[in-house]
């Protein structure tokens, strides 16, 4: 993410759009190891929390000094309308039911909160690591981990259907 231009630009954009008041509560939903949560905490000093379905990723996030929890049904009950900002980076394309997912996330956000979402532009390779690519190449079989791909218009319609009001968007392209 720091070598290729689009990765760095995407990180900078997420941090920019996550700007809020000084005492804001921020959730990095689908935090993985806490990369964005760490960047946002460093930039603004908010109360930042990570949440993920992967226990190992949550443990890694905690090692970075970020409060983090495993996502369960109780998580949604406990944190209903708790967050001023929710970051969701490269998660939506992996879920079974994107609208249901977004409706659940919306219920974690305060009424005037900000939802920052990043999704990949679908590329030939999907969203895989170089090691995965070599594995697929060795088997001569490609498996795209994405269940969905979205155009900007499709994403905005989906967000509106889930109760969000899309305001801005940017493209972080590989080639400027």
């Amino acid at each position: 993410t720091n070598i290729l231009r689009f990765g760095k630009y995407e990180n900078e954009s997420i941090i920019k759009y996550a700007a809020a008041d000084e005492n804001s509560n921020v959730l990095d939903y689908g935090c993985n190891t806490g990369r964005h949560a760490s960047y946002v905490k460093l930039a603004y000093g908010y109360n930042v929390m990570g949440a993920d379905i992967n226990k190992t990723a949550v443990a890694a996030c905690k090692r970075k000094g970020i409060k983090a929890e495993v996502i369960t049904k109780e998580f949604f009950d406990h944190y209903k309308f708790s967050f001023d900002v929710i970051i969701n980076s490269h998660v939506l394309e992996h879920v079974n039911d994107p609208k249901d997912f977004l409706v659940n996330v919306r219920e974690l956000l305060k009424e005037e909160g900000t939802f920052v979402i990043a999704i990949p532009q679908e590329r030939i390779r999907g969203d895989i690591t170089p090691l995965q690519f070599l594995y697929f190449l060795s088997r001569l079989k490609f498996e795209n981990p994405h269940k969905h791909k979205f155009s900007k218009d499709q994403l905005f319609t989906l967000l509106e259907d889930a109760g969000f009001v899309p305001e801005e968007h940017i493209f972080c392209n590989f080639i400027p």
Side-chain angles (χ1 to χ4, degrees), residues 53-147:
I53 60 172
N54 183 322
K55 292 177 184 178
T56 304
V58 167
C61 189
K62 287 179 179 179
R63 284 192 297 274
K64 291 181 179 178
I66 302 291
K67 178 183 173 186
E69 291 186 24
V70 175
I71 298 166
T72 62
K73 182 182 178 339
E74 292 76 26
F75 180 87
F76 291 96
D77 295 336
H78 188 293
Y79 290 106
K80 194 168 199 164
F81 306 119
S82 294
F83 298 98
D84 300 286
V85 177
I86 296 178
I87 299 165
N88 186 249
S89 178
H90 294 268
V91 176
L92 188 64
E93 64 275 10
H94 298 279
V95 302
N96 290 326
D97 185 341
K99 182 180 176 189
D100 185 54
F101 173 84
L102 289 170
V103 166
N104 287 329
V105 170
R106 176 68 186 94
E107 290 183 357
L108 298 171
L109 193 63
K110 291 180 181 176
E111 188 61 36
E112 297 298 318
T114 300
F115 182 54
V116 179
I117 185 168
I119 62 169
Q121 290 177 262
E122 195 61 38
R123 300 171 297 276
I124 293 169
R125 69 170 184 86
D127 191 18
I128 59 174
T129 67
L131 286 176
Q132 287 171 310
F133 180 77
L134 291 173
Y135 173 71
F136 292 150
L137 188 61
S138 71
R139 296 176 55 221
L140 297 176
K141 182 178 179 185
F142 176 78
E143 298 169 15
N144 190 336
H146 295 168
K147 295 179 180 185

